[in-house]
């Protein structure tokens, strides 16, 4: 074996292995260069998922012929003017991207600065560069990459199908475009435009929300809250989806640090923490969050593709995310409902209507006339039953109407008008109807009350006249006894009662009359699934949900008018009451004008 220095072309090829893992990585490097060059418009075309051709055209600063020659040399960069790796202000800083790409493909760069009379063009083939020659091109730069990885056949073998690679390219572009709303972006694959994003004008929050809507879907704007928080010079902005707008995976979570899309475990973890109380653990919120930190507060030089960062004070950033998002969601606690109602209305309009409309298919042969079956139903409904009033008793039973002198206009959730199926409270608001799932709402209120009490002076307990014994299996009883101290903090006092049984002495006062047998059994089940290292306080949402299930306002219980209105007023006064602890809405609001649409009046 002979120890020797590797030739430059080979060094670059090795670097390319890290920097350009796949076509999307090449696109990322080239688009970042265009952003760094101050471009207002960046156009990208890609053929065969990037394998045969990638072209990135920008209207940025451009390069002189001398700069062109330097740009493709390793470790040549214009972005570290003071040799200062601490204060990085551009997306690039290593001077590695162009030489790496040039080492494994056929690269052509054409560029012109604003004050030059002509453009210059330079070619690199598998690392061998030609001298720049004059060419025609407007101010800006056009980089063309053909036959990516032809010089590294091993890497070529790892390419996925063009469609998959194209999807990676699209994802990469979307992320960069989200972070830079002021720049216009297009992406084409030869056949069609995959992205067409005009530069957004105006104030950052508006511009960004427009851009996010164009990429994440217009409904994101209606289903998210703006975030704007700051701690010790680190700023968190962006938009966080309402808990009711969740997804089954994290594909719609976009995180950025200083204009850079990042995939950072610490940041994802903080996000999970922020939503813990509002979402089931297998559901993911939709977010686009932007962290701006002073350059010396974050190290971006820790990952070859720069997709991870390291914060000087990670705990501070974590706290900022958890606090900022929670706070914004609390303020939006009552907003979950309209969008859910929209979805319901959408389903109704698109034919899945629970109230089929006259004239709709399936309503007999005479448009506008109810079918015979329905007409008979209606007649039967209106016909007085022998010995009763004017309506069939069976139907009235499910609806309990209440009279009230309260004025709907005074309350966001309106005034309770009745209860349906002993489960749903129907309230009238100023301009619509609110339907509350009393069980889900109660669950949320109990959780918030218990949390509030915990934070103040402990959860008030209510002693039982006769302690109740619950028979369980030995393991389940053991788990409860082990947690007895923690349960007592939450208002539930239990003790061992021989092997396999538990004696309950006190319950949380705010639960009211409690189904103790059911509660204890369910809690024992919860504990079986809970990691011993995790405290009940960390799982407070689940514990409270279980408690609420066995408290007094669960589904199936009749409420009187005062109880219903009390529930509505408490919901209004409670943060996060718009959704239960599993991300389901606790109420749905239908505005009058939506109801009119439903009936074709608008
Ligand atoms: N589209 C462009 N417009 C103007 N100048 C460019 C463009 N692309 C590259 N350059 C110039 O070429 C240099 C080298 O680019 P390259 O991407 O290789 O390195 P970098 O961006 O400085 O750092 P990094 O390797 O971290 O991306 C840049 O520093 C910049 O001066
Ligand atoms: Mg670069």
């Amino acid at each position: 074996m002979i120890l020797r220095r590797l030739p430059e072309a080979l060094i670059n090829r090795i670097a390319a292995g890290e920097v350009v893992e796949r076509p999307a990585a090449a696109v990322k490097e080239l688009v970042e260069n265009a952003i760094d060059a101050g471009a207002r418009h960046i156009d990208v075309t890609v053929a065969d998922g990037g394998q045969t051709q990638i072209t990135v055209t920008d209207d940025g600063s451009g390069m002189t012929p001398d700069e062109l020659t330097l740009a493709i040399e390793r470790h040549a960069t214009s972005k570290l003017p003071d040799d200062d790796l601490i204060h990085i202000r551009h997306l690039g800083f290593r001077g590695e991207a162009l030489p790496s790409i040039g080492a494994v493909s056929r690269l052509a760069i054409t560029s012109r600065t604003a004050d030059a009379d002509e453009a210059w063009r330079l070619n690199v083939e598998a690392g061998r560069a030609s001298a720049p020659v004059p060419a025609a091109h407007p101010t800006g730069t056009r980089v063309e990459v053909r036959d990516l990885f032809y010089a590294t056949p091993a890497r070529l073998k790892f390419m996925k199908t063009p469609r998959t690679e194209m999807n990676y390219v699209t994802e990469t572009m979307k992320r960069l475009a989200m972070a830079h709303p002021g720049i216009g972006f297009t992406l084409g694959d030869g056949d069609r435009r995959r992205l067409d994003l005009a530069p957004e004008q105006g104030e950052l929050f508006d511009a960004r929300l427009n851009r996010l809507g164009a990429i994440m879907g217009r409904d994101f704007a209606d289903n998210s809250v703006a975030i704007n928080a700051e701690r010790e010079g680190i700023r968190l902005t962006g938009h966080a989806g309402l808990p009711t707008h969740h997804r089954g995976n994290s594909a719609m979570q976009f995180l950025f640090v200083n204009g850079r899309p990042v995939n950072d475990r610490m940041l994802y973890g903080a996000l999970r923490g922020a939503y813990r109380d509002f979402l089931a653990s297998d559901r993911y919120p939709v977010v686009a969050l932007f962290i701006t930190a002073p350059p010396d507060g974050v190290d971006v030089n820790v990952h070859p593709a720069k997709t991870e960062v390291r914060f000087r004070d990670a705990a501070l950033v974590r706290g900022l995310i958890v606090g900022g998002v929670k706070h914004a969601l609390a303020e939006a606690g009552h907003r979950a409902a309209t969008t859910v109602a929209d979805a319901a209305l959408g389903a109704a309009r698109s034919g899945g209507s629970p109230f089929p409309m006259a004239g709709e298919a399936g309503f007999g042969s005479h448009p506008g006339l109810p079918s015979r079956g329905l007409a008979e139903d209606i007649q039967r409904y209106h016909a007085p039953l022998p010995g009763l009033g004017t309506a069939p008793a069976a139907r009235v039973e499910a609806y309990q109407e209440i009279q009230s002198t309260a004025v709907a206009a005074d309350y966001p959730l309106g005034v309770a008008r009745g209860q349906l199926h002993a489960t749903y409270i129907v309230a009238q608001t100023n301009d619509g109807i609110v339907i509350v799932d009393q069980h889900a709402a109660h669950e949320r209120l109990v959780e918030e009350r218990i949390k509030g009490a915990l934070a103040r002076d402990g959860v008030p307990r209510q002693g039982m006249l006769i302690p109740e014994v619950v028979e369980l299996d030995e393991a389940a009883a053991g788990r409860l006894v082990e947690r007895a101290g923690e349960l007592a903090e939450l208002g539930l006092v239990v003790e061992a009662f021989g092997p396999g049984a538990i004696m309950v002495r006190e319950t949380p006062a705010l639960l009211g009359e409690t189904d103790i047998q059911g509660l204890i059994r369910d809690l024992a089940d919860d504990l079986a699934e809970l990691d011993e290292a995790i405290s009940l306080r960390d799982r407070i949402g689940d514990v409270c949900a279980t408690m609420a299930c066995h408290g007094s306002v669960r589904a199936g219980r009749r409420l009187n008018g005062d109880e219903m209105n009390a529930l509505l007023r408490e919901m209004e006064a409670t943060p996060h009451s718009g959704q239960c602890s599993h991300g389901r809405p606790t109420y749905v609001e239908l505005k009058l004008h939506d109801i009119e649409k439903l009936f074709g009046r608008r």
Side-chain angles (χ1 to χ4, degrees):
M1 286 196 295
I2 299 164
L3 179 63
R4 64 179 181 122
R5 285 209 173 80
L6 296 177
E8 183 77 6
L10 197 55
I11 294 174
N12 283 335
R13 219 170 281 168
I14 291 169
E18 295 208 305
V19 176
V20 277
E21 195 199 344
R22 56 174 9 114
V27 170
K28 171 176 181 284
E29 293 296 339
L30 299 178
V31 171
E32 286 186 351
N33 279 348
I35 295 170
D36 282 345
R40 288 343 291 161
H41 292 271
I42 302 174
D43 300 304
V44 180
T45 59
V46 163
D48 298 314
Q51 193 180 323
T52 54
Q53 183 233 322
I54 297 169
T55 307
V56 178
T57 311
D58 69 58
D59 58 358
S61 62
M63 287 174 272
T64 65
D66 287 346
E67 286 169 336
L68 260 184
T69 318
L70 253 187
I72 53 151
E73 264 182 40
R74 196 165 157 77
H75 306 313
T77 181
S78 57
K79 301 172 192 174
L80 292 181
D82 311 316
D83 294 348
D84 179 357
L85 253 188
I86 308 285
H87 295 91
I88 289 175
R89 302 193 181 279
H90 292 93
L91 296 171
F93 55 84
R94 307 158 307 185
E96 288 207 313
L98 288 180
S100 299
I101 295 170
V104 295
S105 70
R106 296 178 226 276
L107 174 69
I109 311 177
T110 314
S111 194
R112 176 171 160 180
T113 54
D115 49 10
D117 300 331
E118 56 189 348
W120 292 81
R121 178 184 167 95
L122 173 153
N123 293 313
V124 186
E125 278 208 16
R128 278 184 307 279
S130 67
V133 294
H137 196 268
T139 302
T141 303
R142 173 188 160 93
V143 181
E144 201 178 341
V145 180
R146 283 187 299 116
D147 303 326
L148 185 64
F149 301 135
Y150 92 100
T152 46
R155 178 54 60 90
L156 204 51
K157 285 207 189 89
F158 284 96
M159 297 267 274
K160 303 229 171 89
T161 62
R163 229 181 94 209
T164 305
E165 296 294 349
M166 187 65 202
N167 288 341
Y168 284 123
V169 170
T170 312
E171 275 307 303
T172 302
M173 290 265 310
K174 278 183 182 171
R175 283 170 195 261
L176 286 167
M178 287 171 151
H180 301 276
I183 303 177
F185 291 88
T186 65
L187 170 65
D189 60 7
D191 292 332
R192 64 185 183 94
R193 284 257 162 118
R194 293 281 195 126
L195 287 179
D196 193 348
L197 302 164
E200 299 289 347
Q201 320 270 323
E203 186 265 334
L204 174 68
F205 262 86
D206 295 341
R208 193 194 270 157
L209 193 56
N210 283 338
R211 175 59 59 85
L212 294 179
I215 292 173
M216 299 169 73
R218 293 286 164 204
D219 60 344
F220 180 66
D222 301 332
N223 284 283
S224 61
V225 292
I227 308 281
N228 192 358
E230 208 219 288
R231 262 186 218 179
E232 293 173 37
I234 299 186
R235 184 159 214 99
L236 176 73
T237 58
H239 297 268
L242 294 170
T244 40
H245 193 60
H246 49 67
R247 289 287 192 293
N249 59 45
S250 62
M252 290 291 265
Q253 301 188 339
F254 302 98
L255 301 172
F256 304 84
V257 176
N258 290 352
R260 231 181 258 286
V262 293
N263 259 326
D264 198 279
R265 286 178 60 132
M266 187 279 282
L267 297 179
Y268 285 124
L271 206 51
R272 248 196 318 283
Y275 277 88
R276 173 164 297 150
D277 294 345
F278 316 113
L279 271 183
S281 55
D282 59 344
R283 304 303 298 175
Y284 296 80
V286 177
V287 301
L289 293 179
F290 302 81
I291 294 169
T292 324
D296 59 355
V298 48
D299 188 356
V300 293
N301 189 21
V302 294
H303 185 272
K306 307 172 193 160
T307 57
E308 283 169 24
V309 294
R310 200 157 295 153
F311 290 99
R312 204 178 52 197
D313 189 346
L316 174 71
V317 176
R318 198 192 140 78
L320 177 64
I321 293 180
V322 176
V325 172
K326 271 195 167 174
H327 178 74
L329 290 176
E331 297 210 317
H334 290 293
R335 267 196 47 209
T338 52
T339 54
V340 177
D342 282 349
L345 284 169
R349 276 192 226 107
S350 62
S353 171
F355 335 107
M357 279 164 250
E360 228 176 61
F363 260 75
S365 49
H366 302 288
L369 278 184
S371 70
R372 212 161 124 221
L374 186 76
E376 279 169 8
D377 272 357
I378 293 171
Q379 258 188 359
R380 228 181 301 130
Y381 182 85
H382 287 295
L385 283 186
L388 280 173
T390 51
R395 286 172 203 261
V396 175
E397 201 174 47
Y399 181 73
Q400 196 200 340
E401 196 176 346
I402 58 164
Q403 306 296 331
S404 169
T405 50
V407 188
D410 294 346
Y411 305 110
L413 291 179
V415 174
R417 291 291 177 221
Q419 187 192 28
L420 291 170
H421 301 292
T423 301
Y424 301 104
I425 298 167
V426 179
Q428 179 174 352
T429 63
N430 220 5
D431 56 352
I433 303 173
V434 163
I435 305 170
V436 176
D437 177 338
Q438 69 186 46
H439 181 126
H442 180 63
E443 194 178 301
R444 170 52 82 189
L445 294 179
V446 165
E447 176 175 344
E448 292 298 329
R449 270 188 261 170
I450 290 184
K451 275 197 222 157
L454 266 180
R456 290 187 306 272
D457 36 15
V459 181
R461 304 192 287 241
Q462 159 183 303
M464 303 179 50
L465 280 180
I466 308 165
E468 192 158 336
V469 175
V470 184
E471 304 270 355
L472 298 154
D473 65 66
E474 234 179 287
R479 281 192 294 272
L480 283 163
V481 173
E482 253 168 49
R483 300 263 187 180
E486 288 181 78
L487 288 170
E489 270 183 42
L490 298 174
L492 189 67
V493 177
V494 300
E495 61 191 55
F497 192 71
I502 286 289
M503 169 121 78
V504 181
R505 293 194 173 276
E506 290 174 82
T507 57
L510 49 85
L511 282 188
E513 207 181 301
T514 310
D515 158 26
I516 289 175
Q517 299 284 334
L519 172 61
I520 293 297
R521 277 173 219 288
D522 284 359
L523 275 178
D525 287 348
D526 289 352
L527 292 182
E529 283 171 23
L530 191 66
D531 189 328
E532 278 165 33
I534 296 174
S535 75
L536 287 186
R537 270 179 185 247
D538 283 336
R539 280 276 164 268
I540 189 80
D542 295 335
V543 178
C544 293
T546 302
M547 287 193 176
C549 273
H550 299 281
S552 50
V553 189
R554 63 186 186 279
R557 187 174 160 270
R558 289 290 178 80
L559 300 178
N560 66 34
D562 290 341
E563 287 174 310
M564 289 186 224
N565 279 312
L567 190 76
L568 294 179
R569 299 297 79 83
E570 194 179 345
M571 286 173 72
E572 284 161 0
T574 304
H576 315 308
S577 66
Q579 57 274 314
C580 77
S581 47
H582 301 102
R584 292 188 299 269
T586 54
Y587 70 94
V588 168
E589 181 175 13
L590 295 173
K591 295 284 186 197
L592 269 185
H593 74 262
D594 287 329
I595 299 173
E596 286 166 2
K597 273 193 228 156
L598 197 58
F599 286 102
R601 282 169 175 263
R602 274 180 183 238

